[in-house]
Each structure stands twice: as C-alpha cells, then as structure tokens.
C-alpha cells in the first residue's frame, strides 16, 4: 500500500528548499499557476453539520471539515498529488472497518496510474484510521469537469468535491470582483473581464454547481440498514442540496442554525460557464434555471457541439458544462431540481438555489458572516416550469462530439460482454444485486488488493485454470473479466424486472476509460438479433451511461405476468471501450446502494503489461 513515508517527506522538503518548488495546498484564488505539480491535503474527520436548516444533526465524515470538499484545480498535463489522511477515531475491534475510507477521482482515466484510482480491494486497501495514502497521477489528454468522492460504503453522501481541469493556463477565467450588495443602481456596470476559453467557446466567468442528497439518518446506521436483512427500499433523501445547502422546511428555517440557500451572483450581459456535477448517491435529477436556457458544451469531460435545452437530466456521477447568458431583467431566479425516473415517488424536491443578478438588494444578514455572504431564506418567485415529458434516452441522440465521432465507434468489436443484472434475497435475509449471477462485494479482510497481487507476481494469469471462464468472459477463479490489450470491447448492460413490477433506471460508470454508447433497446438484448443495432447517430465519449427502463410490452411473458417471479429484460444499452489502459478497473452502477449490494464488476485489463514491483519496492 502506497502510504506516505518518511522518505517522501524528505523528498518534499528537498524540492522545497533546493529546487524551490512550492508544495501548495488550497491555492488562493488570485495565485498565478506556473507549476506543473498541484498538491492537496485531504484530512478526513468526523463533524456535525446541518446543511438543510433542519432539526437533524448527526456526525458525518468530511474532508477538511467542509462539504462539498475543496476544489482540485489543474491544467491538462499537470501532475496531481492528493495526500489523504484518515483522522477518524480508531474502532475498538480490529475487524470493524466502518471508519475505513478511500477516495476515487471520478472521470480521471488514470493512464499509467491505476494505483491512484481509489477503489478498495481492487487498486488499494482502504485507508484505516491513523493511516494516509498518497494519490499521484498525471492528467493525460483530458480537460473539463470531474469530481472526487468516497468509494467505501455510503460515505459519498458527504465526502465529495469538484475537480476542474483546464486546457491550459490561458483557458482559465479571470478572477474579478462582483458588485457589492449595497452598490447603487445607477453605478455603471463593471467592464467585462478577459474571456476564458474551452475549445472554441468563450465565456467571462464560471460557477461550479454540485447536486447531492442528504438523509436524516446517521450514516453508519443507514449503511447497516442497506446491507442488512431489514432492507426493503432505498428511502428518499429528506433534502437535495445545491453546493451543500438548501432548506428542509422554509417555514421553520432560522438564520442562527443554517446558511440558507446558495446564491450564485452574476453580472448582467455576460456569458457564464456553469459546471454541473451529479454528486447524488441515489436519484437522477432534472435541473433548470427560471427564464434561462442552457447551452450544453461539455459532457463528462468531453466537449460537444452546442446544444440548447431548458432543462438537464443529470444522473449520479454525470457532469455537464453549459453556457448561460445573463440577458434577463435584474432580479432573482430560482435554480431548481426535480426527481427523474422516480415513479411512483413524486418528482418535486426541496433542491433550490438562487441565481441573483448583481444589484442593490435587501436581505437578512448573518452576523457571523461577512457582508458578502447574506443568508437567503426565501426562494425566488421566478421558477422553472419543468414542462418536458420524461422520455427514455433523453436527448443523447441529438448531442454530438465537438470534433466528430471517434473512428473506433465504426470498427468491428473484438468481443461482447453482456452484464445481466437482477436483485435477489439471500439466505440470511439480505438483498444483493447480481451481475451474471454473481454479486461483487467488498472484502473485509487483510488480503492484498488485486493490483498489489499483480504487481508482486502473486496472481495467476487469466484462464490459467481450465474451464474457469464463462461464456460472458467472467473468470470464476480470479473473480474478474479479463480483457486483452487494445481489444475493442462492447459491454451490454441489461436491466431486468419481475413482470408486473416496476423497472428501474441504473446509471453505469466505467473506471479507467470513457466509453461510447453505441446502441440501446427495449426488453432483452439477444446477440443474434441485436448485435448490429446502431441507433446512436453520433456517440459522445463519456463515463456515465443511463440504462433506461424500457419494457417490451409485446413480450408474451410481460402480457401474462401472473405468477412469474423470474427476472425479465426491461431495457439495455451497449457501450464500447478500447482497452488501451492496462489495469484493474471497476465498472458499476453509480447508485451507491446498488453498488454496495453487488452491482459491480472488475475488468482485468492486460495484466501482463502492468509494471511489477522491483526488488527495492
């Protein structure tokens, strides 16, 4: 395990004193970045927070005592170092792992740095209390909007934060002051700052918007319920947070106990880049801003051709950049989210924030804050209508990659892996999600992670034992899906349900790769019938694909559902990766509870090309 050692500390001091290279943590917003190393320290502690101004307060895990966590910023090509220190209390029993942590850098492909991916028991052991772990990776051929989050249990409810990768130093927006709250109406507007850029797109400022969920349940008790025999359904979060804030009950909110709604202040007649991050552990959300259109320019770190919408569908783990033009009257406008694919649960949520055009205003102030941080306890009367129907596959067929479709999309695949998922009650009463009949469960023992076994030559090669690989490519001996270097791999992800019962959506995420969704369909995928379907006209490379619930009502078994208790296909998507990144990579549903319950696999990609430890290591 790659813990920070005394040798590394000495090296850092050497670099600082001799080479003069600064090890900066939390760079000030006005700092000029000229270095190629971006370094951060994450201290994991347990603290009490009240993000929705409710009566519920419980101890939760935080990074540097804040939620969301600090922003990681870098330029394309930079080396990023994140030192994670687990400062949680040690548990009294050695086999109690509830305070173990790990951090995953979502969307970062980790070319040549699989050890930094942050997946417990695949790439590292979880970090025990009192231990630390240094993640080090270079951002290779990527720029855009990413995020990090915990990858142990349900810790990503509170351990998450943004990662912003710029194309270059010149692409960064200029920092400029926003009009003060008491600025008179007749003051001339500030001159526009130097525009920032992303590919061909120009904009004046940017805001990062993180969507998350907050349950009124102590986190460790919630995990116990999800994984225990009393589990029935995943309950709805009591609040949906925007940048870590909302009001659970606006009628009961008080300044003394909360920060109110998050306020995004904007200058009129400017262009803003909004970076939206779906950090929700459970629900897909629809996002809109009253009286403003949103022009999509990026999805999951890939630039797209401009496509204008009035609302976005944001799945857990998904990110967008949109351009917003502040061309409306000087006023406040509601930023709002509703649930998507939540039937029969009602769609409205309490997820609200304020888009505020800079001007004189009269707000309630919190004496504990500076005058730049008024506490807003009322939402705007200007609210988005959310009048679009809920349709499978959303608008993905209309969104195009900026620089054209990658030619690999049109090549024949080397192989196809079908992942058929269903849930099943176990003999001990717990519920588990199975992928091709096997639940993926985190280990709670002291066995080394798979990557460590590969690097130390203690792991058998794929297919070493005869008759261990299934028709779908699962190696029963290794517990992984081995793939060869530079294979073009199509992965069919199959939803199922019991006829007569709801079919649910599942957002799937690929570690180590972005992928292309090349096809989708209703009911059950059948290779002989569906192999050549290509109904995505210009696939965008992304790392989250929603598998939508699409029941084939023509299937006889759907029409005659009485008494049938076997899972039946109810929608599928086919995604494509190119195996150009040797490593051990998770592929999983980004509904955190589903992943915890087993809806995950591991790709063992070209293990023979993973560098081995040398004798010194």
């Amino acid at each position: 395990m790659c813990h920070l050692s005394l040798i590394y500390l000495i090296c850092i001091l050497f670099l600082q004193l001799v080479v003069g290279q600064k090890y900066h943590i939390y760079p000030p917003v006005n700092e000029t970045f000229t270095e190629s190393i971006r370094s951060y320290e994450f201290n994991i502690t347990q603290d009490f927070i009240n993000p929705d101004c409710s009566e519920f307060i419980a101890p939760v895990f935080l990074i540097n005592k804040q939620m969301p966590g600090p922003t990681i910023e870098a330029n394309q090509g930079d080396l990023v170092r994140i030192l994670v220190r687990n400062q949680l209390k040690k548990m009294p029993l050695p086999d109690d792992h509830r305070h173990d942590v790990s951090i995953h850098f979502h969307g970062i492909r980790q070319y040549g740095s699989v050890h930094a991916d942050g997946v417990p028991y695949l790439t590292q052991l979880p970090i025990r209390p009192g231990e630390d772990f240094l993640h080090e990776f270079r951002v290779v051929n990527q720029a855009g909007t990413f995020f990090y989050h915990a990858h142990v249990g349900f810790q990503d409810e509170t351990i998450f934060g943004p990662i912003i990768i710029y194309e270059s130093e010149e692409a960064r927006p200029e920092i400029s002051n926003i009009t003060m709250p008491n600025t008179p109406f007749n003051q001339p507007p500030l001159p526009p700052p130097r525009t920032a850029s992303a590919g061909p797109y120009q904009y004046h400022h940017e805001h990062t918007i993180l969507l998350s969920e907050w349950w009124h349940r102590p986190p460790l008790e919630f995990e116990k319920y999800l994984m225990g025999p009393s589990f029935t359904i995943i309950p709805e979060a009591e609040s949906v947070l925007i940048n870590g804030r909302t009001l659970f009950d606006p009628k009961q909110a008080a300044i003394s106990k909360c920060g109110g709604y998050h306020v995004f202040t904007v200058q009129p007649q400017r262009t803003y880049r909004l970076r939206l991050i779906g950090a929700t552990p459970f629900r897909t959300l629809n996002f809109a801003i009253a009286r403003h259109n949103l022009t999509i320019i990026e999805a999951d770190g890939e630039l797209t051709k401009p496509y204008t919408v009035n609302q976005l569908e944001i799945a857990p783990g998904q990110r967008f950049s949109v351009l917003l033009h502040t061309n409306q009257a000087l006023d406040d406008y509601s930023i709002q989210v509703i649930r998507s694919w939540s039937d029969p649960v009602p769609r409205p949520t309490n997820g609200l924030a304020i888009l505020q055009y800079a001007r004189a205003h009269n707000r309630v102030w919190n004496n504990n804050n500076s005058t730049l941080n008024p506490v807003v306890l009322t939402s705007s009367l200007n609210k988005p209508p959310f009048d679009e129907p809920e349709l499978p596959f959303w608008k993905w067929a209309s969104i195009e990659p900026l620089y054209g479709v990658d030619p690999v999309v049109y090549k024949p695949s080397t192989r196809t892996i079908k992942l058929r998922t269903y849930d099943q009650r176990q003999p001990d009463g717990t519920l588990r999600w199975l992928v091709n009949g096997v639940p993926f469960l985190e280990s709670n023992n002291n066995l080394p992670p798979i990557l460590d076994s590969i690097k130390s030559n203690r792991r058998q090669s794929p297919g070493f034992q005869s008759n261990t690989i299934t028709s779908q490519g699962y190696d029963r001996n290794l517990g992984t899906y081995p793939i060869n270097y530079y294979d073009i791999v199509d992965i069919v992800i199959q939803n199922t349900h019991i006829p007569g019962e709801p079919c649910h959506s599942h957002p799937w995420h690929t570690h180590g790769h972005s992928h292309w969704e090349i096809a989708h369909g209703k009911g059950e995928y059948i290779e002989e019938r569906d192999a050549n379907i290509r109904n995505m006209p210009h696939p965008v490379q992304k790392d989250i694909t929603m598998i939508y619930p699409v029941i084939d009502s023509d299937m006889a078994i759907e029409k005659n559902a009485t008494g049938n208790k076997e899972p039946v296909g109810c929608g599928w998507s086919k995604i494509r990766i190119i195996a150009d990144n040797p490593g051990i990579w998770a592929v999983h549903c980004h509904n955190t509870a589903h992943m915890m319950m087993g809806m995950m696999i591991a790709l063992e990609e070209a293990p023979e090309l993973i560098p081995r430890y040398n004798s010194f290591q």
Side-chain angles (χ1 to χ4, degrees):
M1 199 162 129
C2 185
H3 292 294
L4 187 68
S5 64
L6 180 61
I7 294 175
Y8 180 74
L9 286 171
I10 294 171
C11 290
I12 290 297
L13 290 173
F14 176 83
L15 288 172
Q16 291 177 341
L17 297 175
V18 179
V19 183
Q21 188 166 50
K22 185 167 115 187
Y23 191 91
H24 61 268
I25 301 161
Y26 300 135
V29 293
N30 60 352
E31 180 175 340
T32 300
F33 290 89
T34 58
E35 303 157 341
S36 61
I37 297 179
R38 315 289 183 180
S39 300
Y40 297 84
E41 290 186 14
F42 285 0
N43 297 313
I44 312 297
T45 58
Q46 190 172 43
D47 294 278
F48 291 86
I49 60 173
N50 185 8
D52 64 351
C53 304
S54 67
E55 298 301 321
F56 174 78
I57 300 177
V60 297
F61 299 167
L62 300 176
I63 296 178
N64 299 351
K65 299 184 180 297
Q66 63 187 87
M67 184 191 76
T71 300
I72 294 174
E73 289 188 355
N75 296 336
Q76 184 172 272
D78 283 352
L79 184 68
V80 180
R81 289 174 178 157
I82 303 102
L83 174 61
V84 180
R85 292 192 182 96
N86 185 346
Q87 297 180 343
L88 297 171
K89 181 181 178 182
K90 291 185 178 181
M91 304 304 286
L93 298 176
D95 59 347
D96 189 340
H97 295 265
R98 290 177 296 167
H99 281 193
D100 294 1
V101 299
S102 75
I103 306 290
H104 168 59
F105 304 92
H106 183 113
I108 302 297
R109 296 181 193 134
Q110 301 289 2
Y111 281 110
S113 53
V114 60
H115 58 274
D117 198 42
V119 182
Y121 302 104
L122 293 190
T123 64
Q124 66 175 84
L125 287 175
I127 309 167
R128 302 295 301 272
E131 297 178 348
D132 49 55
F133 190 97
L134 179 68
H135 296 267
E136 181 173 283
F137 57 86
R138 192 170 296 280
V139 183
V140 179
N141 295 330
Q142 288 188 275
T145 307
F146 309 88
F147 79 120
Y148 60 84
H149 59 80
H151 219 285
V152 170
F154 212 76
Q155 296 171 8
D156 58 346
E157 180 189 4
T158 55
I159 295 181
F160 63 89
I163 303 175
I164 309 301
I165 307 297
Y166 294 99
E167 293 177 337
S168 65
E169 194 62 40
E170 292 69 31
R172 291 171 176 266
E174 183 178 83
I175 302 299
S176 63
N177 293 324
I178 297 295
T179 303
M180 295 289 287
N182 58 357
T183 300
F185 281 107
N186 59 2
Q187 176 176 307
L190 294 173
R194 170 184 61 82
T195 57
S197 63
Y201 302 111
Q202 304 289 315
Y203 53 97
H204 298 107
H205 311 276
E206 64 180 42
H207 285 298
T208 300
I209 302 176
L210 292 103
L211 310 178
S212 64
E213 293 165 294
W214 175 250
W215 279 264
H216 289 182
R217 295 167 179 250
L220 295 181
E221 291 183 17
F222 194 22
E223 286 186 16
K224 184 178 179 180
Y225 161 74
L226 293 171
M227 301 300 287
S230 62
F231 172 80
T232 53
I233 61 170
I234 304 171
E236 296 299 320
E238 278 74 12
S239 290
V240 175
L241 309 180
I242 298 180
N243 280 14
R245 288 155 61 176
T246 195
L247 300 183
F248 173 63
D249 183 357
K251 296 178 182 178
Q252 302 296 323
I255 295 176
S256 61
K257 62 181 179 182
C258 77
Y261 293 118
H262 191 97
V263 178
F264 297 90
T265 305
V266 295
Q267 290 283 341
Q269 305 305 318
R270 301 278 174 87
T271 298
Y272 284 77
R273 179 180 185 170
L274 304 183
R275 298 177 181 268
L276 291 125
I277 298 173
T280 51
F282 180 31
R283 281 296 180 198
T284 296
L285 300 172
N286 276 23
F287 172 96
I289 301 177
R291 301 188 186 179
H292 290 77
N293 288 329
L294 308 169
T295 300
I296 298 170
I297 63 167
E298 176 213 346
D300 288 359
E302 297 294 326
L303 292 177
T304 68
K305 293 182 179 179
Y307 186 78
T308 300
V309 298
N310 57 28
Q311 65 186 60
L312 288 167
E313 181 184 276
I314 306 177
Q318 204 156 49
R319 292 93 58 214
F320 288 97
S321 280
V322 298
L323 295 182
L324 175 136
H325 304 290
T326 53
N327 53 12
Q328 299 298 307
L330 296 181
D331 205 346
D332 289 357
Y333 299 88
S334 285
I335 300 172
Q336 194 168 356
V337 294
I338 64 172
R339 297 180 185 90
S340 187
W341 303 106
S342 63
D343 188 53
V345 176
R347 299 187 70 187
T349 76
N350 59 4
L352 283 163
I354 308 296
L355 183 77
Q356 184 175 88
Y357 280 60
R359 67 196 188 284
H361 53 75
N362 183 19
R363 290 288 183 194
V364 180
W365 298 81
N366 184 339
N367 292 330
N368 295 324
N369 290 343
S370 69
T371 55
L372 284 176
N373 295 301
V375 175
V376 179
L377 300 180
T378 56
S379 62
S380 170
L381 296 177
N382 297 313
K383 296 188 184 302
F386 289 108
D387 52 3
E388 291 188 0
E390 192 174 58
L391 297 174
F393 316 119
W394 191 53
K395 302 178 186 296
W396 287 109
S398 300
I399 300 173
E400 302 183 43
L402 178 63
Y403 300 113
V405 177
D406 193 300
V408 74
V409 167
Y410 304 113
K411 294 182 178 181
S413 65
T414 308
R415 58 184 298 191
T416 299
I417 299 171
K418 182 179 178 181
L419 304 179
R420 196 171 193 271
T421 65
Y422 57 94
D423 60 346
Q424 185 179 84
R425 192 67 67 171
Q426 302 299 296
D428 62 358
T430 60
L431 188 79
R432 295 292 179 260
W433 279 91
L434 281 64
V435 181
N436 293 341
V438 180
F440 190 99
L441 299 177
E442 290 182 354
S443 174
N444 277 337
N445 53 45
N446 292 318
L447 292 176
I450 292 175
L451 180 64
D452 186 67
S453 295
I454 293 172
K455 293 174 73 68
S456 57
N457 289 314
R458 295 196 304 266
R459 186 170 173 83
Q460 290 181 346
S461 300
F464 178 81
Q465 294 185 11
S466 60
N467 302 319
T468 62
I469 297 183
T470 69
S471 60
Q472 294 301 331
Y474 177 70
D475 191 314
R476 289 184 291 257
N477 179 47
L478 298 178
T480 61
Y481 287 77
I483 57 176
N484 298 319
Y485 188 58
Y486 250 81
D487 275 358
I488 297 175
V489 182
D490 288 348
I491 303 174
V492 177
I493 305 172
Q494 176 71 64
N495 278 353
T496 66
H497 76 136
I498 302 300
E501 298 181 5
C503 178
H504 298 293
S505 61
H506 296 280
W508 276 72
H509 172 53
T510 50
H511 288 228
H513 304 84
S514 295
H515 60 254
W516 300 268
E517 182 185 13
I518 60 175
H520 51 243
K522 62 183 180 180
E524 185 85 28
Y525 176 88
I526 300 174
E527 175 72 12
E528 294 75 15
R529 180 190 65 194
D530 303 325
N532 294 322
I533 292 177
R534 295 291 183 272
N535 49 12
M536 291 294 287
H538 19 66
V540 176
Q541 196 174 22
K542 51 200 175 95
D543 55 69
I544 288 281
T545 286
M546 174 71 83
I547 317 302
Y548 289 90
V550 190
I551 295 172
D552 185 354
S553 57
D554 294 330
M555 290 178 63
I557 197 168
E558 296 284 5
K559 295 178 180 178
N560 303 291
T562 305
N564 181 69
K565 295 300 179 183
E566 293 299 318
V568 172
C570 61
W572 56 269
S573 286
K574 179 183 282 187
I575 64 174
R576 171 169 291 189
I577 66 168
I578 184 166
D580 60 352
N581 194 10
I584 183 79
W585 304 113
V587 179
H588 62 86
C589 176
H590 220 276
N591 178 320
T592 302
H594 289 172
M595 182 189 70
M596 291 168 60
M597 295 175 182
M599 196 182 287
M600 170 171 154
I601 67 156
L603 297 177
E604 190 163 345
E605 180 175 338
E608 71 281 1
L609 298 181
I610 296 173
R612 270 37 179 184
Y613 294 135
N614 56 39
S615 57
F616 175 78
Q617 291 172 306

